Amino acid sequence: METDTAAPKQKVKRCGETVEYSVPKRAVAYEAGSADKLFSLGLTEHVHGYVMPPANPPVGESPWAAEYAKVEMLSDDLLNKEIVVQAKADFVVAGWNSGFSPQRGITPEILDGLGIQSFMHAESCFNYPGHPERLAPFDALYTDLERLGQIFRVEDRAAELVADLKRRAEAVRAAAPEGDPVPVFLYDSGTDQPLTAGGQVPPNDIIETAGGRNIFDDLQQRWTQVGWEAVTAAQPEVIMVLDYGDQPAAEKIDFLEKSPHTRDLPAIKKDNIFILDYNEGISGPRNIDGLEKFGEYLRSLDR
């Protein structure tokens, strides 16, 4: 897709801050959510490479596997400044406190000082210091695609993509089972304390749109630790298990079936376990794939 690299700078939001962008030519994406957003907008020619930590399932499983094959895999570790500088990147896409991290010395502010543009997933912006922004997770996905469309001057393509994703999401919402929403517990990881999805991450919107209720939707956080007592008290009828590349869902399910905290839950007794792919659970266009699968799953449940 042709883009106008000689165009004047474009003012676009980066979380709650307005930033001037020129069209990137050597973008680096951290994790598949970032890369998928760029590839789904037809921007492969502007992507130099990607950084993919071990948690991420193989890129060959992506709908954009052919696009991944056209760019460089720069590292299988966490994002850091050295990787970005060595790649001569002019643009980095990541989330706050996931890819970007003050502790690891790579933040938008640091990259600004190096003359490297950056963009953050809006879903991760609600606790960004100085320039927070709070959007519901699906709205954040649509906003990212629109903003990336502005940065790369492919606004029409972005609008078309967003309209299609919204149409698919609304079709799932319209087909949701009648009656009270199904209580759902997302299990990410953890044995002493489970890591789960609060109200600020995509699985919350996947669950709600499909006709369920995230039992921790009242927690205004992203991924967060809770107590097993709270899980037991909520009596979830469905458990959604996040499937990592380096922590298979089968191991997590085995734990849930044996743990005294969870083995007597309705979801375990009825074997109501849904596996959500990692890249359907982090912010990216595959959120809607996960939504469609979970919607079909809920409609098939015998309550």
Side-chain angles (χ1 to χ4, degrees):
M1 181 175 291
E2 291 296 320
T3 59
D4 183 4
T5 55
K9 289 196 172 189
Q10 186 89 323
K11 289 183 178 179
V12 181
K13 284 278 193 77
R14 181 177 67 189
C15 293
E17 176 184 21
T18 299
V19 176
E20 287 193 341
Y21 289 94
S22 55
V23 177
K25 298 178 183 178
R26 290 177 67 86
V28 168
Y30 178 69
E31 284 203 302
S34 302
D36 288 356
K37 286 174 183 175
L38 296 171
F39 293 147
S40 68
L41 288 167
L43 298 170
T44 309
E45 68 189 57
H46 295 265
V47 179
H48 172 65
Y50 60 90
V51 175
M52 206 66 72
N56 206 97
V59 297
E61 298 175 5
S62 168
W64 297 281
E67 305 310 305
Y68 280 99
K70 294 174 186 175
V71 303
E72 285 189 42
M73 180 173 179
L74 301 170
S75 173
D76 61 359
D77 202 350
L78 299 176
L79 187 67
N80 64 56
K81 185 173 67 177
E82 289 70 31
I83 293 169
V84 170
V85 171
Q86 190 172 358
K88 296 183 172 62
D90 62 0
F91 186 68
V92 181
V93 184
W96 178 246
N97 274 344
S98 51
F100 295 120
S101 163
Q103 291 77 23
R104 280 186 277 108
I106 180 163
T107 66
E109 187 177 12
I110 289 169
L111 293 180
D112 286 348
L114 296 172
I116 300 171
Q117 303 179 115
S118 63
F119 180 86
M120 273 185 292
H121 302 302
E123 170 261 322
S124 73
C125 287
F126 83 104
N127 60 353
Y128 179 52
H131 304 283
E133 180 178 43
R134 179 169 292 194
L135 294 168
F138 280 0
D139 289 340
L141 167 64
Y142 307 144
T143 297
D144 286 345
L145 293 169
E146 289 164 351
R147 289 174 178 173
L148 287 166
Q150 289 178 276
I151 291 168
F152 286 91
R153 318 298 196 265
V154 291
E155 291 94 335
D156 291 349
R157 174 73 184 102
E160 183 183 322
L161 176 60
V162 168
D164 183 58
L165 293 174
K166 286 182 176 179
R167 177 192 58 75
R168 291 168 57 195
E170 282 309 307
V172 175
R173 187 186 293 279
E178 294 182 2
D180 293 337
V182 184
V184 181
F185 166 53
L186 181 135
Y187 182 54
D188 178 302
S189 58
T191 53
D192 293 340
Q193 281 188 298
L195 187 69
T196 190
Q200 292 291 321
V201 285
N204 185 77
D205 283 14
I206 289 173
I207 292 167
E208 186 272 329
T209 305
R213 178 181 62 80
N214 173 12
I215 62 172
F216 293 109
D217 64 356
D218 60 331
L219 297 180
Q220 294 307 303
Q221 300 180 58
R222 295 177 69 207
W223 304 99
T224 185
Q225 281 190 317
V226 295
W228 284 116
E229 297 79 7
V231 177
T232 304
Q235 291 288 291
E237 293 180 34
V238 172
I239 295 177
M240 177 183 281
V241 176
L242 197 62
D243 193 19
Y244 290 8
D246 62 347
Q247 196 172 6
E251 293 177 10
K252 301 178 188 181
I253 293 169
D254 184 61
F255 167 76
L256 292 169
E257 289 174 341
K258 293 174 179 174
S259 169
H261 299 295
T262 50
R263 64 191 179 201
D264 294 323
L265 291 175
I268 297 295
K269 291 284 193 184
K270 296 180 181 180
D271 196 28
N272 289 346
I273 295 176
F274 177 85
I275 297 173
L276 183 72
D277 183 86
Y278 183 78
N279 287 310
E280 293 169 352
I282 64 171
S283 184
R286 282 189 258 180
N287 291 158
I288 308 304
D289 298 343
L291 168 64
E292 289 172 336
K293 293 172 190 174
F294 189 60
E296 184 178 359
Y297 176 80
L298 283 191
R299 293 193 297 274
S300 75
L301 277 186
D302 181 12
R303 296 184 75 194

